[in-house]
Amino acid sequence: MDALDRVVKPKTKRAKRFLEKREPKLSENIKNAMLIKGGNANATVMQVLRDMEFFSKKSDCSLFMFGSHNKKRPNNLVIGRMYDYHVLDMIELGIEKFVSLKDIKNSKCPEGTKPLLIFAGDDFDVTEDYRRLKNLLIDFFRGPTVPNVRLAGLEYVLHFTALNGKVYFRSYKLLLKKSGCRTPRIELEEMGPSLDLVLRRTHLASDDLYKLSMKMPKALKPKKKKNISQDTFGTTYGRIHMQKQDLSKLQTRKMKG
């Protein structure tokens, strides 16, 4: 038997727990990001990576961000993700303008808070590179999956705008103000960081591999209910089957001629 064909069993409980965490699951573990500094990263790229620690934890490499700087590609960021221990997508972005968290003196929300993500701009829905970038940014910043969200738990917004070949990244704190009714009035206060990015190079997975990575396990697919359907807006419709009626015996109101 070839050495690669043998199944190596863990010798300790710790090793067993480690392998169990890495096994495929119906519900994925929370994705964490690895932030990597290149050997020639300048002060701007270093500060961007520090600010990104506010949104991401250093852990496994299912998601990663690599920062570097050189004459040919100054202030460079590469965002990527892994699938089945291989690189799935990588998108290179150039930093044209940057304002750090520390440079905006407004109050901040607690680190690790789940953000509200907003995407504006037709490019995110029309251009393939921008569609993949949008999906990658959602993967990178969405945080843990939660069953319910309370209004007071919405503390900050990450806003991405695609316009004229650039991506504008803005971060706002949500302020709930009195409105005179039950629903509060919402105001946005910029808290940083703020980045103007330009799309440089992309390394995208093939359509087949991308579809495979997005495939939902059968156990998680909602079971189809007979005679019940939903439209695009989520409205539920039901179909009722009745016995055939004899309309000749139907009582109608007689009208005087």
Side-chain angles (χ1 to χ4, degrees):
M1 180 183 291
D2 194 297
L4 294 176
D5 295 330
R6 294 198 299 267
V7 177
V8 180
K9 294 183 179 180
K11 296 181 180 179
T12 63
K13 291 183 178 180
R14 183 180 179 182
K16 184 179 179 181
R17 288 194 301 269
F18 175 80
L19 291 176
E20 286 175 349
K21 288 181 180 180
R22 302 295 292 271
E23 288 178 352
K25 298 178 178 64
L26 288 177
S27 299
E28 290 184 342
N29 298 328
I30 297 173
K31 290 186 177 181
N32 298 310
M34 177 179 288
L35 307 179
I36 309 167
K37 174 182 72 71
N40 53 351
N42 62 0
T44 299
V45 172
M46 289 287 293
Q47 189 58 50
V48 171
L49 293 176
R50 290 192 193 101
D51 285 1
M52 289 302 136
E53 288 184 19
F54 184 84
F55 307 106
S56 307
K57 294 180 180 179
K58 291 181 179 179
S59 184
D60 58 31
C61 55
S62 56
L63 297 164
F64 61 88
M65 178 181 287
F66 176 80
S68 62
H69 173 79
N70 56 51
K71 187 176 181 180
K72 189 176 180 180
R73 293 186 181 84
N75 301 327
N76 206 50
L77 285 179
V78 177
I79 305 176
R81 56 186 165 183
M82 310 287 288
Y83 171 71
D84 196 22
Y85 304 103
H86 294 84
V87 174
L88 181 68
D89 291 323
M90 283 195 301
I91 296 180
E92 186 180 62
L93 302 167
I95 305 168
E96 293 197 337
K97 185 180 178 181
F98 170 60
V99 181
S100 175
L101 268 167
K102 65 181 183 180
D103 295 329
I104 299 176
K105 303 303 180 182
N106 297 330
S107 61
K108 316 298 180 187
C109 64
E111 185 175 345
T113 306
K114 186 176 177 66
L116 180 65
L117 303 180
I118 299 176
F119 291 85
D122 294 336
D123 284 341
F124 282 130
D125 299 315
V126 175
T127 310
E128 182 61 25
D129 286 350
Y130 279 88
R131 273 203 297 261
R132 293 287 185 93
L133 176 61
K134 177 182 177 180
N135 186 272
L136 180 55
L137 292 172
I138 291 173
D139 227 6
F140 202 92
F141 291 107
R142 67 181 179 180
T145 303
V146 293
N148 298 298
V149 177
R150 62 190 182 95
L151 184 60
L154 297 175
E155 296 190 50
Y156 78 101
V157 174
L158 295 182
H159 193 283
F160 302 91
T161 304
L163 182 65
N164 298 328
K166 295 183 180 180
V167 177
Y168 299 92
F169 172 99
R170 299 293 184 268
S171 178
Y172 302 96
K173 185 174 182 182
L174 279 169
L175 303 177
L176 304 180
K177 303 286 187 176
K178 291 183 179 180
S179 62
C181 59
R182 187 174 181 182
T183 304
R185 178 170 56 87
I186 296 176
E187 292 184 2
L188 298 179
E189 180 182 80
E190 190 169 5
M191 71 172 198
S194 169
L195 295 101
D196 294 355
L197 304 167
V198 60
L199 189 64
R200 287 179 176 166
R201 296 181 297 176
T202 61
H203 174 79
L204 305 179
S206 64
D207 291 339
D208 292 339
L209 181 59
Y210 184 70
K211 288 178 182 178
L212 181 64
S213 68
M214 300 289 288
K215 188 176 181 180
M216 182 182 292
K218 289 184 179 180
L220 293 180
K221 289 183 179 179
K223 294 182 179 179
K224 291 184 179 180
K225 295 183 179 179
K226 195 174 182 181
N227 300 322
I228 295 178
S229 60
Q230 284 188 336
D231 63 10
T232 308
F233 301 101
T235 306
T236 303
Y237 297 94
R239 178 179 294 178
I240 300 175
H241 295 275
M242 301 177 62
Q243 293 181 352
K244 187 176 180 179
Q245 291 181 298
D246 187 355
L247 299 180
S248 62
K249 296 180 180 180
L250 184 67
Q251 292 290 334
T252 60
R253 186 177 179 181
K254 293 181 180 180
M255 303 293 293
K256 292 183 178 180

